[in-house]
Coordinates of all heavy atoms in Angstrom, one line a residue:
M1152 N 88.0 99.0 119.5 CA 87.4 98.3 118.2 C 87.6 96.9 118.3 O 88.7 96.3 118.6 CB 88.0 99.0 117.0 CG 87.3 98.5 115.8 SD 85.8 99.2 115.5 CE 86.2 101.0 115.3
I1153 N 86.5 96.1 118.1 CA 86.7 94.7 118.0 C 86.6 94.3 116.5 O 85.8 94.7 115.7 CB 85.5 93.9 118.8 CG1 85.6 94.3 120.2 CG2 85.5 92.6 118.6 CD1 84.2 94.1 121.0
V1154 N 87.6 93.6 116.1 CA 87.6 93.1 114.6 C 87.2 91.6 114.8 O 88.1 90.7 115.3 CB 88.9 93.2 114.1 CG1 89.0 92.7 112.6 CG2 89.3 94.7 114.1
K1155 N 86.1 91.1 114.2 CA 85.8 89.9 114.3 C 86.5 88.9 113.4 O 87.1 89.3 112.4 CB 84.2 89.6 114.1 CG 83.4 90.4 115.1 CD 81.9 90.3 114.6 CE 81.1 91.4 115.4 NZ 79.8 91.5 114.8
D1156 N 86.5 87.6 113.6 CA 87.3 86.7 112.9 C 86.8 86.5 111.4 O 87.5 86.0 110.6 CB 87.2 85.2 113.4 CG 88.0 85.2 114.8 OD1 88.9 86.0 115.0 OD2 87.8 84.2 115.5
I1157 N 85.6 86.9 111.2 CA 85.1 86.9 109.8 C 85.7 87.9 108.8 O 85.5 87.9 107.6 CB 83.5 87.1 109.8 CG1 83.1 88.3 110.4 CG2 82.8 85.8 110.3 CD1 81.7 88.8 110.2
C1158 N 86.4 88.8 109.4 CA 87.2 89.8 108.5 C 87.9 89.2 107.4 O 88.6 88.2 107.5 CB 88.1 90.6 109.3 SG 89.1 91.9 108.5
M1159 N 87.7 89.8 106.2 CA 88.3 89.3 105.0 C 89.4 90.2 104.4 O 89.8 90.0 103.2 CB 87.3 88.8 103.8 CG 86.5 90.1 103.6 SD 85.1 89.5 102.5 CE 84.3 91.2 102.3
Y1160 N 89.8 91.2 105.2 CA 90.9 92.2 105.0 C 90.6 92.8 103.5 O 91.6 92.9 102.8 CB 92.2 91.4 105.0 CG 92.3 90.5 106.3 CD1 92.1 89.2 106.3 CD2 92.4 91.2 107.5 CE1 92.1 88.5 107.5 CE2 92.5 90.5 108.7 CZ 92.5 89.2 108.7 OH 92.4 88.5 109.8
C1161 N 89.4 93.3 103.2 CA 89.2 93.9 102.0 C 89.7 95.3 101.9 O 89.7 95.9 100.9 CB 87.7 93.9 101.8 SG 86.7 94.9 102.9
G1162 N 89.9 96.0 103.2 CA 90.3 97.3 103.3 C 89.2 98.4 103.2 O 89.4 99.6 103.2
A1163 N 88.0 98.1 103.0 CA 86.9 99.1 102.8 C 86.8 99.9 104.1 O 86.6 101.2 104.0 CB 85.6 98.3 102.8
C1164 N 87.0 99.4 105.3 CA 87.0 100.3 106.6 C 88.2 101.3 106.5 O 87.9 102.5 106.8 CB 87.1 99.3 107.7 SG 88.6 98.2 107.7
A1165 N 89.3 100.8 106.1 CA 90.4 101.7 106.2 C 90.2 102.9 105.2 O 90.6 104.0 105.4 CB 91.7 101.1 105.7
G1166 N 89.6 102.6 104.1 CA 89.4 103.6 103.0 C 88.4 104.7 103.5 O 88.5 105.8 102.8
V1167 N 87.5 104.5 104.3 CA 86.5 105.5 104.7 C 86.9 106.1 106.1 O 86.2 107.2 106.3 CB 85.0 104.9 104.9 CG1 84.6 104.3 103.6 CG2 85.0 103.9 106.0
C1168 N 87.8 105.7 106.8 CA 88.2 106.3 108.0 C 88.7 107.9 107.8 O 89.7 108.1 107.2 CB 89.3 105.5 108.9 SG 89.7 106.3 110.4
P1169 N 88.0 108.8 108.4 CA 88.4 110.3 108.3 C 89.7 110.6 108.9 O 90.3 111.6 108.6 CB 87.3 111.0 108.8 CG 86.5 110.1 109.7 CD 86.7 108.7 109.2
T1170 N 90.1 109.8 110.0 CA 91.4 110.2 110.6 C 92.6 109.1 110.3 O 93.5 109.1 110.9 CB 91.2 110.2 112.1 OG1 90.8 108.8 112.5 CG2 90.0 111.2 112.6
N1171 N 92.3 108.2 109.3 CA 93.2 107.2 108.9 C 93.8 106.5 110.0 O 94.9 106.1 110.2 CB 94.4 107.9 108.2 CG 94.1 108.4 106.8 OD1 93.5 107.6 106.1 ND2 94.7 109.5 106.5
A1172 N 92.8 106.0 110.9 CA 93.0 105.3 112.1 C 93.2 103.8 111.9 O 93.7 103.1 112.8 CB 92.2 105.6 113.2
I1173 N 92.8 103.3 110.9 CA 92.7 102.0 110.4 C 93.8 101.6 109.3 O 93.8 102.3 108.3 CB 91.5 101.4 109.9 CG1 90.3 101.8 110.9 CG2 91.5 99.9 109.8 CD1 89.0 101.2 110.4
Q1174 N 94.6 100.6 109.7 CA 95.5 100.1 108.7 C 95.2 98.6 108.5 O 95.1 97.8 109.5 CB 96.9 100.1 109.2 CG 97.4 101.6 109.7 CD 97.7 102.4 108.4 OE1 98.0 102.0 107.5 NE2 97.2 103.7 108.6
V1175 N 94.9 98.3 107.2 CA 94.7 96.9 106.9 C 96.0 96.4 106.3 O 96.5 96.8 105.2 CB 93.5 96.6 106.1 CG1 93.3 95.1 105.6 CG2 92.3 97.2 106.7
Q1176 N 96.7 95.4 106.9 CA 97.9 94.7 106.5 C 97.4 93.4 105.9 O 96.2 93.0 106.0 CB 98.9 94.7 107.5 CG 99.5 96.1 107.7 CD 100.0 96.4 109.2 OE1 100.2 95.5 109.9 NE2 100.3 97.6 109.5
E1177 N 98.4 92.6 105.7 CA 98.0 91.2 105.0 C 96.9 90.5 105.8 O 95.9 90.3 105.2 CB 99.3 90.5 105.0 CG 99.4 89.6 103.7 CD 100.8 89.2 103.3 OE1 101.6 90.0 103.4 OE2 100.9 87.9 103.1
L1178 N 97.1 90.0 107.0 CA 96.0 89.5 107.7 C 95.8 90.0 109.1 O 95.6 89.4 110.0 CB 96.5 87.9 107.9 CG 96.4 87.0 106.5 CD1 97.0 85.7 106.8 CD2 95.0 87.0 106.0
T1179 N 95.9 91.3 109.1 CA 95.5 92.1 110.3 C 95.0 93.4 110.1 O 95.2 94.0 109.1 CB 96.9 92.5 111.0 OG1 98.0 91.5 110.8 CG2 96.8 92.6 112.4
V1180 N 94.0 93.8 111.0 CA 93.4 95.2 110.9 C 93.9 95.7 112.2 O 93.6 95.3 113.3 CB 91.9 95.0 110.8 CG1 91.3 96.5 111.0 CG2 91.4 94.3 109.6
V1181 N 94.6 96.9 112.0 CA 95.1 97.6 113.2 C 94.4 98.9 113.3 O 94.3 99.6 112.5 CB 96.7 97.8 113.1 CG1 97.2 98.6 114.3 CG2 97.4 96.5 112.7
V1182 N 93.8 99.1 114.5 CA 93.1 100.5 114.7 C 93.9 101.1 115.8 O 94.1 100.7 116.9 CB 91.6 100.2 115.2 CG1 90.9 101.4 115.4 CG2 90.8 99.4 114.3
D1183 N 94.3 102.4 115.6 CA 95.0 103.2 116.5 C 94.0 104.0 117.4 O 93.3 104.8 116.8 CB 95.9 104.2 115.7 CG 96.7 105.1 116.5 OD1 96.6 105.0 117.9 OD2 97.4 106.0 116.1
D1184 N 94.0 103.6 118.7 CA 92.9 104.0 119.7 C 93.2 105.6 119.8 O 92.4 106.3 120.3 CB 93.1 103.4 120.9 CG 92.4 101.9 120.8 OD1 91.4 101.9 119.9 OD2 92.8 101.0 121.5
D1185 N 94.4 106.1 119.6 CA 94.7 107.5 119.9 C 94.1 108.4 118.8 O 93.7 109.4 119.1 CB 96.2 107.7 119.9 CG 97.0 107.1 121.1 OD1 96.1 107.0 122.1 OD2 98.0 106.7 121.1
T1186 N 94.1 107.8 117.6 CA 93.4 108.7 116.5 C 92.1 108.4 116.2 O 91.4 109.1 115.5 CB 94.4 108.7 115.2 OG1 94.6 107.3 114.9 CG2 95.6 109.3 115.5
C1187 N 91.5 107.2 116.6 CA 90.1 106.8 116.3 C 89.2 107.6 117.2 O 89.5 107.8 118.3 CB 90.0 105.3 116.6 SG 88.2 104.8 116.6
T1188 N 88.2 108.3 116.5 CA 87.2 109.1 117.2 C 86.0 108.3 117.5 O 85.0 109.0 118.1 CB 86.9 110.5 116.5 OG1 86.4 110.0 115.1 CG2 88.2 111.2 116.0
K1189 N 85.9 107.2 117.3 CA 84.8 106.3 117.5 C 83.5 106.8 116.8 O 82.4 106.7 117.3 CB 84.6 106.1 119.0 CG 85.8 105.6 119.7 CD 85.4 104.7 121.0 CE 86.5 104.5 121.9 NZ 87.4 103.5 121.2
C1190 N 83.8 107.3 115.6 CA 82.7 107.9 114.7 C 81.8 106.9 114.1 O 80.5 107.1 113.9 CB 83.2 108.7 113.7 SG 84.0 107.8 112.4
G1191 N 82.2 105.6 114.1 CA 81.4 104.5 113.5 C 81.3 104.4 112.0 O 80.6 103.5 111.6
I1192 N 82.0 105.3 111.3 CA 81.9 105.0 109.8 C 82.3 103.8 109.3 O 81.8 103.2 108.4 CB 82.7 106.5 109.2 CG1 81.9 107.6 109.5 CG2 82.7 106.2 107.6 CD1 82.6 109.0 109.1
C1193 N 83.5 103.3 109.9 CA 84.1 102.1 109.4 C 83.1 101.0 109.7 O 83.1 100.0 108.8 CB 85.3 101.9 110.0 SG 85.3 101.8 111.8
V1194 N 82.5 101.1 110.8 CA 81.6 100.0 111.1 C 80.4 99.7 110.1 O 80.1 98.6 109.7 CB 81.0 100.2 112.7 CG1 79.8 99.1 113.0 CG2 82.0 100.2 113.6
K1195 N 80.0 100.9 109.7 CA 78.9 100.9 108.8 C 79.3 100.6 107.3 O 78.8 100.0 106.5 CB 78.2 102.3 108.6 CG 77.3 102.6 109.9 CD 76.6 103.9 109.6 CE 76.0 104.4 111.0 NZ 76.4 105.8 111.3
A1196 N 80.6 100.9 107.1 CA 81.2 100.6 105.7 C 81.6 99.2 105.6 O 81.7 98.6 104.4 CB 82.5 101.5 105.5
C1197 N 81.8 98.4 106.6 CA 82.3 97.0 106.5 C 81.1 96.3 105.9 O 80.0 96.2 106.4 CB 82.4 96.4 107.9 SG 83.1 94.6 107.7
P1198 N 81.4 95.6 104.8 CA 80.3 94.8 104.1 C 79.7 93.6 104.8 O 78.7 93.0 104.5 CB 80.9 94.4 102.7 CG 82.3 94.5 103.0 CD 82.6 95.4 104.0
I1199 N 80.4 93.1 105.7 CA 80.1 91.8 106.4 C 80.0 91.9 107.9 O 80.0 91.1 108.7 CB 81.1 90.7 106.2 CG1 82.6 91.1 106.5 CG2 81.1 90.2 104.7 CD1 83.5 89.9 106.4
D1200 N 79.8 93.2 108.4 CA 79.7 93.5 109.8 C 80.7 93.0 110.7 O 80.5 92.4 111.7 CB 78.3 93.2 110.3 CG 77.1 94.0 109.7 OD1 77.4 95.3 109.4 OD2 76.1 93.5 109.4
A1201 N 82.0 93.1 110.3 CA 83.1 92.5 111.0 C 83.7 93.4 112.2 O 84.4 92.9 112.9 CB 84.2 92.1 110.1
L1202 N 83.3 94.7 112.2 CA 83.7 95.6 113.1 C 82.6 96.0 114.1 O 81.3 96.0 113.8 CB 84.1 96.9 112.5 CG 85.3 96.9 111.6 CD1 85.6 98.1 110.9 CD2 86.6 96.5 112.4
E1203 N 83.1 96.1 115.4 CA 82.3 96.4 116.5 C 82.9 97.5 117.3 O 84.0 97.2 117.9 CB 81.8 95.2 117.2 CG 80.6 95.3 118.1 CD 80.3 93.8 118.7 OE1 80.1 92.9 118.1 OE2 80.3 93.9 120.0
L1204 N 82.2 98.5 117.7 CA 82.7 99.6 118.5 C 82.7 99.1 120.1 O 81.7 98.5 120.4 CB 82.0 100.9 118.5 CG 82.4 101.9 117.3 CD1 81.4 103.0 117.3 CD2 83.8 102.3 117.5
E1205 N 83.7 99.2 120.8 CA 83.7 98.8 122.2 C 83.0 99.7 123.1 O 82.9 100.9 122.7 CB 85.0 98.7 122.7 CG 85.8 97.5 121.9 CD 87.3 97.3 122.4 OE1 87.6 96.7 123.4 OE2 88.1 97.8 121.6
Ligands
SF4_234 S1 85.7 96.4 105.9 FE1 85.3 94.8 107.2 S2 86.0 92.9 106.2 FE2 86.9 94.5 105.2 S3 88.9 94.8 106.1 FE3 87.5 96.2 107.3 S4 86.8 94.9 108.9 FE4 87.6 93.6 107.5
SF4_235 S1 85.4 104.7 114.3 FE1 85.7 106.4 112.8 S2 87.7 107.1 113.5 FE2 87.5 105.1 114.4 S3 88.5 103.8 113.0 FE3 86.3 103.9 112.4 S4 86.1 105.3 110.9 FE4 88.1 105.8 111.9

């Protein structure tokens, strides 16, 4: 997962992930590649298109 610099750490992506693979901390978005199924739901949920699947 690529998290672009425009991310504002709103947490919307973490809230929709079915496997809880995203953690939004203070100024970091951490995606666990082991639990991410690359479903793309978070990419669609981000209001500013800050996520991109690799
Ligand atoms: S939804 Fe988008 S802007 Fe919000 S924390 Fe996730 S990547 Fe960042
Ligand atoms: S692609 Fe799907 S499984 Fe992976 S972090 Fe996004 S919502 Fe979660």
